[in-house]
Amino acid sequence: MASDPAADRTGGILPYSRLTHMTIQAWCPFQSGTEYGPFVGNEHFPELNVELTRLAGKYGSTPNGIAVAWILRHPAGIQPLLGSMTPERIRQMAAGADIELERRDWWSLYQAAGNPLV
């Protein structure tokens, strides 16, 4: 949905969690919420993956690491619950905890994911 009311896809839970200091846990946050599965490395999300790859180069990381860094930098203090059957992917995701994205880079990923300006 591209309309303005669709910009709040959480029903207000993220702003509420910030006001009440409630921790949000993101289960499987790499899933796209579509029939296409995970968004990292997925051809159905080209703009987002170009930006993930660009930032991976800038920060000496991987797209998986940058995605984790983005979640951890979210102002709501989201706690991601990650999993994978691939040990290397788990290492890449864990390394994201050591990356502090600049605000400009966080915002560029937000926009590349197709989120409207808020």
Side-chain angles (χ1 to χ4, degrees):
M1 297 173 65
S3 64
D4 287 342
D8 181 8
R9 294 179 178 89
T10 69
I13 194 70
L14 289 179
Y16 177 78
S17 71
R18 291 179 68 192
L19 290 171
T20 61
H21 307 287
M22 179 175 67
T23 300
I24 296 291
Q25 292 184 326
W27 290 70
C28 301
F30 287 18
Q31 291 297 317
S32 65
T34 70
E35 69 273 18
Y36 303 123
F39 60 84
V40 175
N42 189 319
E43 66 184 16
H44 291 98
F45 306 97
E47 186 177 344
L48 177 56
N49 279 286
V50 164
E51 190 62 10
L52 285 168
T53 300
R54 182 185 77 79
L55 292 175
K58 177 179 178 178
Y59 288 91
S61 184
T62 64
N64 285 310
I66 296 298
V68 168
W70 186 92
I71 294 167
L72 293 174
R73 181 82 158 97
H74 194 282
I78 298 170
Q79 184 180 67
L81 298 171
L82 305 167
S84 176
M85 298 298 288
T86 308
E88 179 57 29
R89 185 166 180 243
I90 291 172
R91 282 189 284 278
Q92 291 173 7
M93 291 186 291
D98 296 329
I99 299 169
E100 187 167 336
L101 293 176
E102 296 174 12
R103 286 182 187 215
R104 178 175 297 172
D105 294 334
W106 189 93
W107 187 251
S108 73
L109 277 174
Y110 182 81
Q111 290 180 309
N115 292 298
L117 297 175
V118 289

